[in-house]
Amino acid sequence: MHGDVAASAPVWASDTDWTAINNGHTVQAAPAHGGAAGQIEIAGKTYDLVQFHFHHPSEHAVDAAHTEMEVHFVHKAADGALAVIGVMLTGGGAVGPVDAVLAAAPIHEGEAPAGIADPSALLPAGGLFDRYEGSLTTPPCSEAVTWTVTTEKMAVSDEASAAFSAMFPNDARPLQPLNDRELLIN
Ligand SMILES: [Zn+2]
């Protein structure tokens, strides 16, 4: 089913100071000083970027093929509604913000400073976005949300992938059937 969801590209701050949190399910980055690290507007509603976290292997698949990892950028609206942008991540890339966050994350549950990083480094520049309504999967993904999965993948370093998979060997769930799938061209 094709819809015409009007959405802006996300506008994220490049100078956010992050805290890396090992919550027992994943490594999550949250603004160190609270608040939002940027916004996205979908269908006239503004959502704040409140955290991003990782899965290994990817939760989404293209032609049944998963990638090494997937990053979920979790946005929250004033009314509590969530909008998540998912980007499938392959290995073999350059060192980037993922490395800093994973290097800072405690091996056991806890949190530590990760420093300043630009999350846009993990977002494909423009192009196709696949958007659908669905529910989040593994914790902390637990509520109904508006999902956007970029069709273009990004690459993270093999070191980052290895570091995360050592902490969380498998924190992705099998794909659920997608209802009301919508394709959006930005
Ligand atoms: Zn997630």
Side-chain angles (χ1 to χ4, degrees):
M1 196 184 287
H2 294 272
D4 50 352
V5 178
S8 67
V11 178
W12 296 335
S14 60
D15 60 351
T16 299
D17 192 9
W18 298 94
T19 296
I21 303 158
N22 180 333
N23 62 15
H25 303 290
T26 185
V27 172
Q28 178 173 311
H33 307 292
Q39 280 85 34
I40 187 171
E41 191 176 314
I42 300 172
K45 183 182 283 192
T46 299
Y47 299 78
D48 290 331
L49 176 61
V50 292
Q51 54 108 323
F52 62 93
H53 63 266
F54 303 94
H55 295 275
H56 163 84
S58 66
E59 296 206 315
H60 292 90
V62 175
D63 296 331
H66 290 260
T67 55
E68 279 292 303
M69 292 176 63
E70 183 169 328
V71 58
H72 289 162
F73 295 100
V74 180
H75 300 72
K76 194 170 190 178
D79 65 2
L82 298 177
V84 179
I85 296 178
V87 183
M88 292 168 69
L89 305 172
T90 65
V95 170
V98 171
D99 294 74
V101 171
L102 296 182
I107 291 173
H108 303 291
E109 287 187 44
E111 60 183 68
I116 291 170
D118 182 1
S120 298
L122 293 173
L123 189 70
L128 288 169
F129 291 84
D130 215 2
R131 174 164 293 132
Y132 57 92
E133 303 286 334
S135 55
L136 291 169
T137 49
T138 47
C141 299
S142 58
E143 300 178 49
V145 298
T146 298
W147 268 101
T148 301
V149 179
T150 65
T151 49
E152 191 178 329
K153 303 178 182 96
M154 297 294 282
V156 297
S157 74
D158 290 333
E159 290 80 2
S161 178
F164 186 75
S165 59
M167 281 188 274
F168 299 99
N170 188 341
D171 76 336
R173 268 191 202 172
L175 278 178
Q176 304 294 316
L178 304 178
N179 298 317
D180 296 321
R181 199 180 171 88
E182 294 174 328
L183 195 65
L184 180 81
I185 297 172
N186 275 13

